Amino acid sequence: MKTKQIQKLVLLSMLTALTTALGYLYVPTLTGVITLLDVGVFFTAFYLGSEEGAIVGGLSGFLLDILLGYPQWAFFSLVFHGLQGYAAGWTGRKRLAGLILASIAMVGGYFLASILLYNLASALESLVGNLLQNIVGMVLGMVLLKAMTSLRKGGDFR
């Protein structure tokens, strides 16, 4: 394996581990919890691009569900957070469309999966929490990106 490929593999492994760890941090809400997993997914997509965002998003969502004891959600998380990371990594003129599609992939995907696994009432109950989790992830992911790019340039976060 070439050195660049190994470096990329190590970076993606570290980002997957950090994003999974962020998933353990949560904020309680009236209908459940909001995890910070999406912060890592959006940051990776913004910082490295679509493919890397899909890898980190899908793997970290999958791993978090397995580790927390929700295996029935693992496949869905692999797909929905993977699509979220892929779309969020779009740049230029496609950025806004990518963020909208990333939100639809995660929020809409979990809505449909909740109907499949449980019922419509349960899906409707989780809708606001998932939307809020997505928005918080998007905003904090962008804040983290700005901080990282400022550090790389030797700046002082201004």
Side-chain angles (χ1 to χ4, degrees):
M1 221 180 212
K2 296 178 186 167
T3 303
K4 286 277 189 195
Q5 290 173 322
I6 293 171
Q7 287 175 340
K8 184 175 181 177
L9 182 63
V10 169
L11 178 60
L12 291 176
S13 299
M14 289 172 49
L15 286 169
T16 299
L18 288 170
T19 301
T20 303
L22 280 172
Y24 277 92
L25 303 175
Y26 60 89
V27 178
T29 67
L30 295 174
T31 59
V33 296
I34 296 172
T35 75
L36 296 181
L37 178 110
D38 297 50
V39 175
V41 175
F42 278 107
F43 169 74
T44 301
F46 294 157
Y47 193 63
L48 297 175
S50 289
E51 289 180 17
E52 293 82 357
I55 291 167
V56 170
L59 288 177
S60 60
F62 179 86
L63 287 171
L64 185 65
D65 286 336
I66 296 296
L67 292 170
L68 290 178
Y70 299 106
Q72 72 274 22
W73 289 103
F75 173 76
F76 295 116
S77 294
L78 176 72
V79 173
F80 302 150
H81 285 293
L83 289 172
Q84 178 188 39
Y86 186 82
W90 293 356
T91 57
R93 299 174 109 180
K94 298 188 296 183
R95 168 61 54 94
L96 181 59
L99 294 177
I100 292 169
L101 285 175
S103 300
I104 291 170
M106 196 281 266
V107 177
Y110 278 113
F111 179 76
L112 294 175
S114 291
I115 292 172
L116 180 68
L117 291 177
Y118 301 111
N119 56 42
L120 179 60
S122 178
L124 288 170
E125 186 178 282
S126 66
L127 196 59
V128 172
N130 283 333
L131 183 60
L132 191 57
Q133 177 175 315
N134 187 74
I135 291 169
V136 167
M138 198 181 301
V139 170
L140 292 180
M142 185 58 73
V143 168
L144 190 56
L145 173 71
K146 296 291 183 188
M148 285 297 295
T149 54
S150 179
L151 281 174
R152 286 193 73 175
K153 294 178 185 174
D156 58 2
F157 295 106
R158 287 188 208 163

